Amino acid sequence: MKTISPENSRVYDASIIQLPRIFAQKGNITAINNEKEIPFAIKRIYYLYDVPGGESRGGHAHKELMQLIVAASGSFDIVIDDSKIKRTFTLARPDCGLFLPAGLWRELVNFSSGAICLVLASLEYSEGDYIRFYDEFSKFKKQ
Ligand code: TYD
């Protein structure tokens, strides 16, 4: 696995990963294995749901955490920012994930009704891994 240092990660280091889909007329299955379909081992899974219309989530960066974000249901946009450039990804399919390396600011916006944002994360929850103020993030990226 290529490791990208969080201070130097760029929006171009984020990528859409096409996940496998086991197709059947009675419904589909997508399976994700540690370090196989995605470039890290999964330590935590969480999901956002019942997001009210017009609400946004995120508004922070992570110092070490890597994530794969999937729209398990519905759709939403993720705006990422490396302190120089912003990129917007629309997630709208359960077999498509956005890989986010550490050190990128993100905002999740435009949630559709009933959207479920599934997040596979490389680390357990730690408030110390968050950068919650943009000016602190800018300084972090200039190290
Ligand atoms: P946060 O990651 O800031 O939410 P979002 O980026 O989706 O807007 O988390 C919101 C709150 O939930 C915060 O107080 C921490 C808590 N939380 C946990 O306790 N464990 C977790 O795994 C996550 C993701 C959040």
Side-chain angles (χ1 to χ4, degrees):
M1 172 180 40
K2 190 180 104 184
T3 42
I4 304 160
S5 84
E7 296 83 357
N8 296 321
S9 61
R10 292 290 166 244
V11 291
Y12 300 110
D13 297 317
S15 58
I16 292 287
I17 295 181
Q18 181 63 52
L19 300 166
R21 184 168 57 137
I22 302 163
F23 177 80
Q25 273 188 342
K26 59 186 179 180
N28 302 329
I29 299 175
T30 289
I32 303 172
N33 298 274
N34 271 345
E35 297 175 88
K36 190 173 169 195
E37 288 84 7
I38 60 172
F40 59 84
I42 301 157
K43 282 259 180 71
R44 173 171 52 122
I45 297 172
Y46 64 92
Y47 38 100
L48 301 174
Y49 53 97
D50 291 347
V51 179
E55 197 56 81
S56 65
R57 303 292 308 234
H60 56 73
H62 288 281
K63 295 175 191 163
E64 299 293 338
L65 185 76
M66 293 178 276
Q67 294 166 307
L68 184 88
I69 304 182
V70 178
S73 184
S75 63
F76 48 85
D77 295 334
I78 306 180
V79 184
I80 59 169
D81 178 344
D82 59 18
S83 85
K84 289 197 172 79
I85 296 171
K86 287 187 184 189
R87 263 179 107 183
T88 300
F89 293 88
T90 297
L91 292 182
R93 291 201 50 85
D95 61 352
C96 210
L98 176 64
F99 167 67
L100 289 185
L104 295 177
W105 191 266
R106 86 285 313 276
E107 309 268 356
L108 282 71
V109 297
N110 296 334
F111 283 87
S112 69
S113 169
I116 298 177
C117 170
L118 174 66
V119 183
L120 312 184
S122 66
L123 296 170
E124 290 178 12
Y125 171 75
S126 163
E127 187 56 36
D129 187 65
Y130 281 72
I131 304 173
R132 291 199 182 269
F133 296 99
Y134 195 86
D135 57 345
E136 189 190 332
F137 173 66
S138 299
K139 283 181 200 145
F140 178 80
K141 296 304 270 184
K142 286 195 187 108
Q143 283 176 49

